[in-house]
C-alpha cells in the first residue's frame, strides 16, 4: 500500500520547472581570451576564470606541464579589459616549461635563459584594436610595477609583462 500522506502533492502549475530560472544571471564577459597556440578561448569576467583555470589555460601543453600563474597577471588583463569591453585578448606566450624555454633559446629565439615565463610570472599578449605602444601606455597607466617589454616589429607585435623586478625594454 502507498501512503498517500507521504506522496508529494501534484503541482497545480502547468509550467515545466526550470532549475536554471533561480540561478543568478550570467555575468557579461569583459573580454575573450584566446590562446594563440591552441586557439582555446575563455571568457574573462570579474570572477572567471579562476586562477586555477587560468593556470591550466596557460599550461605548456606540448610538454604537458603546468604551474600556478601569478594572479597579478590575470588582474592586469581584467584592468585592460574593463577599458575595452568585448575585446579579444590573444595570449602569445604563457607558462613555458624550462625544457621548452631551453629549446627556444638554443634555436636562437630571444628568450632569457631564466625566463619569468618558466616561473608562471609572465605573459606575452596583444589586445585587438590596440597598437603595442598604446597597450604599453595603458599598462603603465595601471601602475604596473613589474617588467614591461614591448615588441612592435614586423614579425612580433605584443607586450611582455611579468611580476619580477620593475624594468622596461623594447625588443625586436
Amino acid at each position: 500500500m502507498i501512503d498517500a500522506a507521504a506522496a508529494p502533492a501534484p503541482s497545480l502549475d502547468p509550467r515545466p520547472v526550470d532549475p536554471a530560472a533561480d540561478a543568478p544571471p550570467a555575468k557579461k564577459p569583459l573580454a575573450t581570451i584566446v590562446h594563440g597556440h591552441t586557439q582555446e578561448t575563455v571568457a574573462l569576467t570579474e570572477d572567471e576564470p579562476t586562477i586555477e583555470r587560468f593556470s591550466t589555460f596557460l599550461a605548456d601543453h606540448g610538454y604537458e606541464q603546468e604551474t600556478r600563474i601569478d594572479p597579478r597577471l590575470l588582474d592586469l588583463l581584467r584592468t585592460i579589459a574593463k577599458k575595452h569591453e568585448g575585446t579579444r585578448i590573444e595570449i602569445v606566450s604563457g607558462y613555458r616549461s624550462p625544457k621548452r624555454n631551453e629549446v627556444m633559446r638554443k634555436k636562437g629565439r630571444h628568450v632569457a635563459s631564466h625566463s619569468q615565463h618558466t616561473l608562471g610570472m609572465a605573459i606575452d599578449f596583444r589586445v585587438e584594436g590596440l597598437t603595442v605602444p598604446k597597450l604599453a601606455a595603458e599598462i603603465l597607466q595601471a601602475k604596473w610595477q613589474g617588467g614591461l617589454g614591448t615588441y612592435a616589429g614586423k614579425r612580433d607585435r605584443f607586450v611582455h609583462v611579468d611580476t619580477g623586478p620593475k624594468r622596461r625594454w623594447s625588443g625586436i
Side-chain angles (χ1 to χ4, degrees):
M1 287 182 67
I2 299 175
D3 183 1
S11 173
L12 299 176
D13 188 348
R15 293 177 292 175
V17 177
D18 180 6
D22 292 332
K27 294 186 180 182
K28 179 181 175 191
L30 298 170
T32 300
I33 306 174
V34 179
H35 194 296
H37 298 287
T38 66
Q39 298 308 306
E40 180 184 3
T41 63
V42 65
L44 180 65
T45 69
E46 290 284 348
D47 306 318
E48 295 293 328
T50 62
I51 196 60
E52 292 78 17
R53 172 69 180 103
F54 191 59
S55 297
T56 298
F57 181 76
L58 294 182
D60 185 333
H61 298 286
Y63 286 93
E64 298 182 7
Q65 290 186 7
E66 180 177 324
T67 197
R68 187 171 195 275
I69 299 297
D70 190 313
R72 292 175 288 182
L73 298 168
L74 185 55
D75 291 342
L76 176 64
L77 293 183
R78 283 193 176 102
T79 298
I80 299 297
K82 286 176 187 175
K83 294 180 77 174
H84 304 281
E85 284 194 35
T87 195
R88 171 189 160 130
I89 298 171
E90 182 180 352
I91 301 295
V92 175
S93 185
Y95 171 69
R96 286 197 301 254
S97 65
K99 186 172 184 175
R100 176 180 301 280
N101 198 71
E102 185 61 17
V103 166
M104 290 175 70
R105 198 178 69 72
K106 285 182 177 179
K107 286 185 175 180
R109 300 296 302 254
H110 298 283
V111 299
S113 58
H114 299 289
S115 172
Q116 298 287 312
H117 287 278
T118 65
L119 303 172
M121 295 173 52
I123 55 173
D124 299 341
F125 70 102
R126 59 177 71 90
V127 175
E128 183 178 59
L130 293 181
T131 64
V132 169
K134 175 69 175 150
L135 178 55
E138 289 192 13
I139 292 167
L140 292 173
Q141 286 172 353
K143 307 215 183 312
W144 185 248
Q145 294 301 307
L148 171 61
T150 57
Y151 296 83
K154 290 181 180 181
R155 188 177 138 190
D156 291 325
R157 287 184 308 277
F158 61 87
V159 297
H160 164 99
V161 292
D162 66 59
T163 58
K166 183 177 181 177
R167 62 213 188 288
R168 306 291 181 255
W169 70 92
S170 178
I172 299 170

